[in-house]
Amino acid sequence: MKDRTKKMIYVAIIAISLVGLFWYSYNEASNDALNDYIGDEVWYVPAARNILHLLGVNLHYFDENTSSYGVNIILPEYNKTVMKLKVWRIAQELNYTVYTPYQNFPAVYYEIPAENYNKFLERISRYNLTIIPGFKYPDKENIQNYLNTEHPYLAKGIISIGMLIEDKPLCWRLPGMIEHLLIAVLVFLSAYEISKSYLASFIAFFFVVLDPLLFATSIAAMLDIHVAFFTALFLYFMVRGRDGLGGISIGLDGAAKLNGAFPYPVLFIKILWDWLKGKSTLLNAFYNGVILPGAAFLIANLPAMVAIGAEKWIRELLGSFKWHLSFKGEHPANSPFWQWFINEKPFAFHYNPDIFAHNDPILLLSMIPMIIAIPYAAKKRGKILIPFGAFWSIIGFYALQWILGGKTQFSFYATPLVPAAAVALGVFAYDVIKWEYFEKSLKMYWEWITRAFRGVIMLFKGREGQKEDTKNLRSDEGNDICDS
């Protein structure tokens, strides 16, 4: 009875925390000052809208202030001025409430009263113009054709789910806010699976709930919160020993954004170890480690392939590696991966209200002393190697990217580090961060060093002994000759 009561209290704490987090995030995301593009939404949201348009999906945006629907009309370059005037006359006759001419690409945006909207679409469709209903575009060059093929599709597809509800900023951000809640739950479950401790799980849980980076990226319709979600899903399946589902998760993670594949070595080492130990066949290892991740990656990108063609999508994605490994020029918020540990140069998504991609130094810096304690910690709780390894695998790939030329990095790139660090720190904070672990781990390191040192000495002595034996042998042969 007591255990049941405890569980009910734990569930209540989790539920209240998640409701509070969603309420706070929702209020921020629906702020009137944020009722437009923030951060890199200017790229990802139009790309999602354009892909949906190519797939034949029409969105809608309804402005409650004017009781009007929004629509973008793309004009032909060759008679842009004439068509612009014709569309304007129709819109004027039908009492348009908002008119926005774009300066950097040939298009106009109108908001038409609800009772006249269908009539407006019917009349302008006679001119064979490209009509894209929904929220207005950011005024960026060629944005009406931008598809963001330098990144895979899945994260934009998740943004699109919110846009199907309505093409407005709050709905773009809704999937990310929900994923923040799911990340917290997955981190809680992962920490419990490793530690069997509710205290450890709650420590990990609250690091995620209160994390400033997850909050900022969850209320901006960008890619990184979706990467963090699939990273958390990957960690959960891996600590549960579900390698197949872990393979699917890492494939989806890479399909959200290529850096989502950075924790893959954790899966590879796990299935390789199981195969070497005879716990798995080579075929099963190949299936979980290659077939499932690859299939998940490709299936998640099918909408983009259908929209532009598989051959073009593959060519542009492969060509993007050169872009990812290039320096994009100076930027005031450029923050190499080592600066994330001390929250230097947080990326600004918006000013007033201030939405910054802050890193949590306590969370990230805690992963450094864990390196000393991890041998003994892993001996006590082997599964802690999964989040710990995922964290440093992600850091390692960011370091490799920087070395190879991709020196334009920003603080929000650290978003997928948060779930891994939270799980690891939750377990450590409960019963791993004790001097016993550091002391015994230091002894283990010392034993390894002394064994290696002894091995070198024995190897050296062995060579000296061989030389001495050879010398004695030659001396004996010389004596034999003299005796003869």
Side-chain angles (χ1 to χ4, degrees), residues 196-217:
K196 302 303 179 186
S197 162
Y198 285 111
L199 177 58
S201 303
F202 274 114
I203 293 170
F205 174 80
F206 282 111
F207 264 110
V208 168
V209 169
L210 301 174
D211 187 77
L213 183 58
L214 288 182
F215 167 73
T217 53

Side-chain angles (χ1 to χ4, degrees), residues 59-308:
L59 302 173
H60 74 279
Y61 166 64
F62 183 72
D63 188 337
E64 295 179 356
N65 296 320
T66 60
S67 298
S68 302
Y69 285 100
V71 60
N72 297 277
I73 299 110
I74 312 302
L75 306 171
E77 281 283 4
Y78 65 92
N79 63 345
K80 178 177 63 176
T81 304
V82 173
M83 292 308 305
K84 188 175 182 179
L85 181 59
K86 288 182 178 181
V87 171
W88 179 82
R89 284 174 177 168
I90 296 172
Q92 187 184 41
E93 289 176 19
L94 297 175
N95 303 316
Y96 72 85
T97 55
V98 174
Y99 165 59
T100 303
Y102 296 108
Q103 303 300 318
N104 292 302
F105 66 104
V108 289
Y109 171 78
Y110 282 100
E111 289 185 10
I112 307 295
E115 62 274 14
N116 296 330
Y117 180 66
N118 288 331
K119 189 182 295 185
F120 175 76
L121 294 183
E122 181 184 347
R123 290 182 63 179
I124 62 171
S125 63
R126 300 170 186 170
Y127 296 112
N128 199 28
L129 300 172
T130 299
I131 301 169
I132 305 178
F135 199 79
K136 65 182 178 182
Y137 279 91
D139 200 351
K140 303 287 185 180
E141 185 177 355
N142 202 39
I143 197 69
Q144 80 280 16
N145 298 316
Y146 181 63
L147 303 177
N148 189 238
T149 49
E150 60 267 31
H151 293 300
Y153 172 73
L154 180 57
K156 293 184 287 290
I158 296 173
I159 293 170
S160 296
I161 295 172
M163 298 173 75
L164 291 173
I165 300 172
E166 187 173 352
D167 186 7
K168 65 179 182 179
L170 180 60
C171 292
W172 309 336
R173 299 160 188 162
L174 191 60
M177 291 187 283
I178 294 172
E179 284 178 337
H180 191 179
L181 310 183
L182 295 176
I183 291 168
V185 174
L186 289 168
V187 163
F188 180 93
L189 295 174
S190 298
Y192 185 80
E193 183 68 27
I194 296 170
S195 65
K196 302 303 179 186
S197 162
Y198 285 111
L199 177 58
S201 303
F202 274 114
I203 293 170
F205 174 80
F206 282 111
F207 264 110
V208 168
V209 169
L210 301 174
D211 187 77
L213 183 58
L214 288 182
F215 167 73
T217 53
S218 71
I219 64 169
M222 293 167 57
L223 311 183
D224 305 272
I225 189 66
H226 310 297
V227 179
F229 166 70
F230 286 111
T231 300
L233 192 65
F234 169 71
L235 294 174
Y236 172 71
F237 285 131
M238 292 304 296
V239 299
R240 291 290 306 275
R242 305 296 295 273
D243 294 353
L245 292 174
I248 293 172
S249 299
I250 200 68
L252 295 175
D253 211 354
K257 194 178 180 182
L258 291 175
N259 64 332
F262 286 178
Y264 178 78
V266 171
L267 174 65
F268 180 81
I269 293 170
K270 170 68 165 52
I271 60 178
L272 180 63
W273 179 259
D274 287 347
W275 175 62
L276 292 173
K277 288 289 184 178
K279 297 179 181 179
S280 174
T281 64
L282 182 60
L283 180 62
N284 192 53
F286 183 76
Y287 179 73
N288 290 334
V290 179
I291 299 297
L292 288 179
F297 179 85
L298 290 174
I299 291 171
N301 280 288
L302 277 178
M305 294 187 202
V306 172
I308 66 173

Side-chain angles (χ1 to χ4, degrees), residues 218 224 323 327 343 379 440:
S218 71
D224 305 272
W323 181 82
F327 180 61
N343 191 33
K379 188 176 181 181
K440 293 193 176 185

